[in-house]
Amino acid sequence: MSGSGSRAVRRRTFVLGSAAATAAAALTGPLAGSAAAAGFGWSDDGSNYVVDTGANLVLKVSRTNGDLTSLVYKGTEYQGYGGKNSHVESGLGTSTVTLAQSGSTILISVAHGTLRHYYAARSGENNIYLWTNKADSSVTATRYIVRVKAGLFLNDEPDSYTYTTSTVEASDVFAKPDGQTRSKHYSRHRVIDYDYIGWTTGGVGLWIVRSNHEKASGGPFYRSLLRHQSADGGGLYEILHYGENQTEAERHGLQGPYVIAFTDGGAPSPALYHGTLTTPWADSLGIAGYVPDGGRGRVAGVGITGRDTTYAYTVGLANPAAQYWGSVRASDGYFSVPRVLPGAYTLTVHKGELAVYSTQVTVSAGTTTTLNTITVPSSNDPSHASAIWRIGNWDGTPSGFKNADLMTYAHPSDVRAASWTGNVVIGSGSETSAFPCYLWKDVNSGLLVHFKLTAAQAAAAHTLRIGVTTAYAGGRPQVTVNDMWTSAIPSPPAQPSTRSLTVGSYRGNNHTFSYSVPASAWRTDTSQYNVLRIDVVSGSGTSGYLSAGTAIDAIDLLA
């Protein structure tokens, strides 16, 4: 943890399901004095329910619309920027808001149409536990945003635009005077990479501890908004559903708990993380859609063979109602995914971010579904194919390509980006690092790859493969060899329809284009270089970095 203005992200080996549950018990009964901190309780000021946790936190929730209108920690008000409250989406509007107390827990319930939202405060804690149940699409609810007053946590991180107002794209990508870019989209992190997000001054920390995202969409490698800082304040997000470069339909149901946590400057307590957080105290609160641990199951695998042990592997579970994931143990391939809602799931094994195996599993409440050793067939991993040459690695990401690391937290026009043009020579030793991670029709289409073939290789037809991780505006590669043979224009694979390459995301649907290049296309003089030209084709998109484009996973010429 660093000092003032820093951003902290907790990384964990396993990203597991959170405790969630349903019960119909009403909140009744007096406060249990032996369990309560001094000062714990609530009052009604006529406009808000006012809750004092008995620690250092006092919060107010509007009785009219369920907004969080005040967030006072150690006497300092943190809530509010731009005259706005903290709330679901941009505020639900008129709602039915009720409060009930059960022992050491105070629960505020917000009903707006079919949507239910909850705030829970616990005696002696500087935390607020939140759940949001979007039952259907009748109510717009894609996020909860904690709006923090300006000046309390200064920073200049990739997802901050405090120090710049010049836009380079739409109204949400900004450029600083030095040419660096900033946007709320530039989080750097996949969902699997973090447990919490927030700020610290060294003396006070304000965080959102994320939920297990079982009702979110996009899987473990998805990137979405996490936080931002602007001139009038900051925002911390729990994204319920994010539309940018989204690969899955929106799921409905209860999401949570996610936690607004104050600390004395350090990280939130590990007990709040979705991998360790249990909430048996919430089992009987009557939260709509809540399923206790006893109503959930677990999936465990003895091991996975056929792995390339130079890569991290992840197991994902998904069906239309829920998603989960867990890391695969490097030593033997063991994995465990707990707290899974009952149902039938597709289990997918990912090498890096590339799906290399899938099967079906059924999860039942109170039991463990144990899988025997999974063997990933060699044919499922494109890296096993014998290649004359290969650029990049088949791992479902553009990792290693030019500008790849920068693109998760900067716009392609950023001054820190290396030139997007420049050709590649096989055998130079810099094939991958010289090849741009993204290709656009209006920026660097027509990139050339130079390579030599032996006489035997030049006498045969070969398959050229280009793997992509996403595409914008239908961008896909058409190839030409030695100006003598040009491939047909391939059909566009299914990809998200929103921005992607300019908002920090390469994660779409992995797809491999294959081109059968005839022997007649090769040069027979083995001292000469063959020249492969890769063009991006599409009738969609506009210009520049918003022209049709695609992100590269790997390129190879098979033997």
Side-chain angles (χ1 to χ4, degrees), residues 34 88 125 151 182 184 236 264 285 291 324 350-351 354 356 382-383 394 402 452 455 473 482 496 507:
S34 60
V88 175
E125 296 187 16
R182 298 286 187 268
K184 62 183 179 181
L236 293 177
D264 289 337
L285 297 183
V291 180
Y324 307 90
H350 298 271
K351 169 198 173 186
L354 183 67
V356 293
S383 297
W394 292 94
K402 182 164 64 174
K452 291 181 179 181
N482 295 323
R507 174 78 275 124

Side-chain angles (χ1 to χ4, degrees), residues 3-6 70-81 146-155 162-163 198-206 227-236 262 265:
S4 177
S6 70
S70 178
L71 199 57
V72 175
Y73 178 69
K74 291 187 174 180
T76 298
E77 177 66 77
Y78 285 83
Q79 153 59 39
Y81 73 79
V146 180
R147 301 186 186 271
V148 182
K149 291 175 65 175
L152 295 174
F153 301 101
L154 297 178
N155 69 76
T162 301
Y163 303 107
W199 301 289
T200 178
T201 65
V204 174
L206 173 55
R227 65 165 208 183
H228 75 265
Q229 273 278 37
S230 60
D232 56 353
L236 293 177
F262 279 94

Side-chain angles (χ1 to χ4, degrees), residues 163-247:
Y163 303 107
T164 181
T165 58
S166 174
T167 57
V168 296
E169 182 178 299
S171 59
D172 56 9
V173 182
F174 301 85
K176 294 179 63 181
D178 63 4
Q180 292 191 17
T181 53
R182 298 286 187 268
S183 176
K184 62 183 179 181
H185 300 291
Y186 297 153
S187 67
R188 294 180 188 255
H189 300 288
R190 308 168 302 173
V191 178
I192 197 174
D193 292 332
Y194 74 97
D195 290 320
Y196 55 83
I197 194 75
W199 301 289
T200 178
T201 65
V204 174
L206 173 55
W207 318 93
I208 276 193
V209 183
R210 76 166 176 85
S211 70
N212 70 337
H213 279 216
E214 71 180 2
K215 295 293 185 178
S217 302
F221 313 123
Y222 189 67
R223 286 179 165 84
S224 67
L225 302 185
L226 297 182
R227 65 165 208 183
H228 75 265
Q229 273 278 37
S230 60
D232 56 353
L236 293 177
Y237 295 89
E238 169 72 352
I239 296 297
L240 310 178
H241 182 79
Y242 188 51
E244 295 282 9
N245 213 32
Q246 181 58 256
T247 58

Side-chain angles (χ1 to χ4, degrees), residues 65 88-89 92 95-96 109-118 131-136 138-143 240 250 253 288:
N65 56 27
V88 175
E89 201 59 24
L92 295 173
S95 305
T96 300
S109 304
V110 182
H112 182 83
T114 60
L115 183 138
R116 300 293 181 268
H117 180 70
Y118 304 92
W131 291 263
T132 304
N133 189 332
K134 181 180 179 180
D136 52 44
S138 64
V139 178
T140 300
T142 59
R143 67 182 183 180
L240 310 178
E250 182 175 9

Side-chain angles (χ1 to χ4, degrees), residues 44-50 60-67 69 97:
D44 181 346
D45 69 5
S47 299
N48 305 279
Y49 288 120
V50 182
K60 295 182 180 181
V61 175
S62 169
R63 293 184 54 192
T64 301
N65 56 27
D67 285 2
T69 61
V97 183

Side-chain angles (χ1 to χ4, degrees), residues 245-248 468-471 493-496 506-511:
N245 213 32
Q246 181 58 256
T247 58
E248 294 184 299
V468 302
T469 66
T470 195
Q495 295 289 0
Y506 60 77
R507 174 78 275 124
N509 295 312
N510 286 101
H511 180 80

